[in-house]
Amino acid sequence: MVFWFQTDVGEEVETMWVEPLHYGLFKVDNIPFYVRGVSSEDIVSGRQGDDGRLEFGEVVESGGHSTLRVLVRNDGDVARVCESFRSVGCGWEGSDVPTLIAVDVPPSTPWSSVEKTLRDLDELIFEYEEACLTFAHVPP
């Protein structure tokens, strides 16, 4: 099922896959790229808009996952960056921008492992952003 999220970038929207739970509640089933404050596995509320699309309401319950957006310097380094995150238990998704990836940090991955991976990849990463951090991943 596709869910429409209003982003914080003007009139843009981001579509995400969600799994219906029960009336008005859905579980996010992919990694957000542009929407802030939402991560994979979060339980969100929503409603059907006038145009028939499901529209985001709010995060009802955190799924414990965090989301990073990572901009890699060169196309040729994306696979290495993705593999480095995968090796510490993170998932990732690519975007329509070849050097932009979204990284899913599950609750089982310690934040210290993510920080070490980011330091190790410093020369390959142009920039990264913590799009959504859960309490499990807020640095001490």
Side-chain angles (χ1 to χ4, degrees), residues 4 18 56 86 91 102 105 111 114 121 123 140:
W4 293 81
V18 294
F56 172 71
R86 191 202 61 73
V105 183
W111 187 252
V114 174
L121 296 170
E123 293 193 15

Side-chain angles (χ1 to χ4, degrees), residues 31 39-41 65-68 89-93 102-106 109:
I31 307 169
S39 286
S40 182
E41 306 283 322
H65 291 240
S66 293
T67 304
L68 298 176
C90 297
W92 61 273
E93 289 187 19
V103 177
D104 172 57
V105 183
T109 298

Side-chain angles (χ1 to χ4, degrees), residues 14-45:
E14 177 174 1
T15 59
M16 285 188 260
W17 290 101
V18 294
E19 174 187 328
L21 299 176
H22 47 83
Y23 185 76
L25 293 180
F26 306 85
K27 182 171 159 182
V28 177
D29 196 25
N30 69 322
I31 307 169
F33 269 95
Y34 302 108
V35 175
R36 294 176 191 267
V38 180
S39 286
S40 182
E41 306 283 322
D42 284 354
I43 306 301
V44 298
S45 67

Side-chain angles (χ1 to χ4, degrees), residues 13-139:
V13 295
E14 177 174 1
T15 59
M16 285 188 260
W17 290 101
V18 294
E19 174 187 328
L21 299 176
H22 47 83
Y23 185 76
L25 293 180
F26 306 85
K27 182 171 159 182
V28 177
D29 196 25
N30 69 322
I31 307 169
F33 269 95
Y34 302 108
V35 175
R36 294 176 191 267
V38 180
S39 286
S40 182
E41 306 283 322
D42 284 354
I43 306 301
V44 298
S45 67
R47 66 174 187 81
Q48 191 167 12
D50 296 335
D51 59 4
R53 297 187 288 188
L54 284 173
E55 297 176 353
F56 172 71
E58 64 183 345
V59 174
V60 175
E61 182 180 323
S62 170
H65 291 240
S66 293
T67 304
L68 298 176
R69 286 191 279 265
V70 178
L71 188 58
V72 181
R73 291 184 190 275
N74 300 304
D75 295 17
D77 294 324
V78 171
R80 181 174 165 199
V81 170
C82 291
E83 177 56 29
S84 293
F85 281 109
R86 191 202 61 73
S87 73
V88 296
C90 297
W92 61 273
E93 289 187 19
S95 73
D96 55 345
V97 177
T99 56
L100 178 64
I101 61 170
V103 177
D104 172 57
V105 183
S108 58
T109 298
W111 187 252
S112 58
S113 297
V114 174
E115 288 180 315
K116 181 180 182 324
T117 301
L118 288 167
R119 279 192 310 273
D120 291 349
L121 296 170
D122 184 57
E123 293 193 15
L124 303 180
I125 294 176
F126 178 71
E127 187 174 26
Y128 74 92
E129 176 181 36
E130 298 159 347
C132 182
L133 289 182
T134 62
F135 288 111
H137 296 125
V138 174

